[in-house]
Amino acid sequence: MKVGFIGLGVMGRPMALRLAAAGTPLVVWNRTAERAEPLRAAGAEVAADPGEVFARAEAVLLMLADEAALDAVLGRGTPEFAARVAGRIVVPMGTTSPEHSRALEAEVRAAGGRYVEAPVSGSRVPAERGELVAMLAGEESAVDAVRPLLAPLCRETFGCGAAPGALLMKLAVNLFLITLVTGLTEAFHFADRQGLDRRLFLEVLDAGPMASGVSRMKAPKLREGDFAVQAAALDVLKNNRLIAEAARAAGLASPLLDVCHALFEETVGLGHGGQDMVAVLRAIEARTGSGAAPSRSAPPGQAAVQPFGMP
């Protein structure tokens, strides 16, 4: 099966490179054309536009930043949409709202295509190593067709029933990730400001029961002040909003998530949105410096998500 891949960002490019290295017949496109050059060097075809990817491929994997980018690439709402998706398997791998995915699946199937949502758990390093975890949802036969295509990218894949089951699973996983990394960062800040040896604190943490793959990836970044992006703070804020919206829609409390939401809003507001999520340290430092937690306010154009039960 010839595979299309659209979206060669922090996650997408290493994912596409792994497919090319595994010998997958691949055609790619990215809005910033130069990001496709390593794929060309790896033997992939580089398309001139998204329509060309759909014309050449039987299944198209999409690793895009948000719902607007996904809709634009698909030509959603235009006559091009049906021509692109008919006869293809459309596989969005980014994180969007469950409602968006549910509606998109209905439109793809009405146009004669098949649809599998396949969000992944992991950041840049697991993507480079082929150690992502994929959650798949959609029609069973389409999921069965997509699963082997993802083998070069994933340590494991999990079937999550009908869409948007995979996205809801991803949001649940991300809730744990966001609160885990925020807690690690706050603990590091506490130890550092108490005058403890940074390296010793992290060695003690790594020897104990709280150690995990996440702490072993993020702790050295905190120790070295290395905020080079693995999972960007701005993307974490987007995911936080999606989880909060899903929680509100179901009438669920999410108290820890609400605190993290505020901290990542502050991190982005301080100019660290393009840095790794451990840059939430900057928001914690700012609160320490001011002696008080700032009020919740959303970035321009976004409504603030208040803690559950608050007006």
Side-chain angles (χ1 to χ4, degrees):
M1 183 182 294
K2 192 163 196 176
V3 175
F5 200 106
I6 296 177
L8 303 174
V10 170
M11 293 282 289
R13 186 158 71 175
M15 291 166 69
L17 283 168
R18 287 197 63 85
L19 289 172
T24 303
L26 195 63
V27 54
V28 305
W29 180 83
N30 191 70
R31 183 177 58 183
T32 305
E34 56 264 28
R35 291 195 63 83
E37 290 310 309
L39 273 300
R40 192 192 305 274
E45 300 173 21
V46 178
D49 55 52
E52 187 177 341
V53 175
F54 284 93
R56 294 188 192 180
E58 298 166 74
V60 180
L61 312 183
L62 302 124
M63 193 65 182
L64 297 163
D66 53 32
E67 296 166 6
L70 180 57
D71 290 349
V73 161
L74 290 169
R76 197 173 178 199
T78 75
E80 295 178 353
F81 176 79
R84 289 184 182 183
V85 306
R88 276 86 180 174
I89 308 176
V90 178
V91 189
M93 300 190 72
T95 307
T96 62
S97 73
E99 293 77 11
H100 179 273
S101 185
R102 185 184 287 110
L104 181 57
E105 180 192 36
E107 292 179 28
V108 168
R109 294 180 68 174
R114 294 191 288 169
Y115 182 88
V116 176
E117 59 179 31
V120 292
S121 183
S123 57
R124 178 179 56 82
V125 173
E128 291 170 345
R129 296 174 179 171
E131 296 176 350
L132 298 171
V133 174
M135 292 143 276
L136 311 180
E139 184 181 283
E140 187 174 354
S141 63
V143 169
D144 289 343
V146 167
R147 196 186 297 269
L149 301 180
L150 304 185
L153 311 179
C154 299
R155 183 176 69 246
E156 291 193 64
T157 59
F158 292 90
C160 297
L167 276 166
L168 287 168
M169 186 70 74
K170 173 68 187 296
L171 294 183
V173 169
N174 276 4
L175 196 162
F176 181 48
L177 172 65
I178 292 167
T179 55
L180 180 67
V181 173
T182 305
L184 171 65
T185 304
E186 184 174 333
F188 175 84
H189 175 71
F190 175 86
D192 189 44
R193 293 301 177 97
Q194 294 287 355
L196 301 180
D197 181 274
R198 293 180 174 190
R199 188 176 299 274
L200 180 60
F201 164 67
L202 294 174
E203 286 176 358
V204 171
L205 178 66
D206 194 48
M210 290 80 70
S212 67
V214 171
S215 68
R216 289 176 178 137
M217 183 179 296
K218 297 303 185 185
K221 294 179 74 63
L222 288 165
R223 185 186 66 226
E224 304 300 330
D226 170 20
F227 295 159
V229 67
Q230 292 174 340
L234 186 61
D235 290 334
V236 173
L237 178 58
K238 180 199 82 169
N239 278 268
N240 204 313
R241 286 189 178 124
L242 290 173
I243 302 166
E245 288 166 2
R248 300 302 173 266
L252 303 176
S254 55
L256 293 179
L257 183 75
D258 295 337
V259 172
C260 295
H261 195 157
L263 286 167
F264 278 97
E265 282 182 341
E266 292 156 29
T267 302
V268 172
L270 289 166
H272 304 293
Q275 296 180 328
D276 190 72
M277 65 187 299
V278 295
V280 71
L281 177 65
R282 297 308 187 211
I284 297 170
E285 290 173 337
R287 288 191 179 196
T288 296
S290 68
S295 61
R296 295 288 304 278
S297 60
Q302 295 285 346
V305 179
Q306 295 294 340
F308 183 82
M310 292 183 65

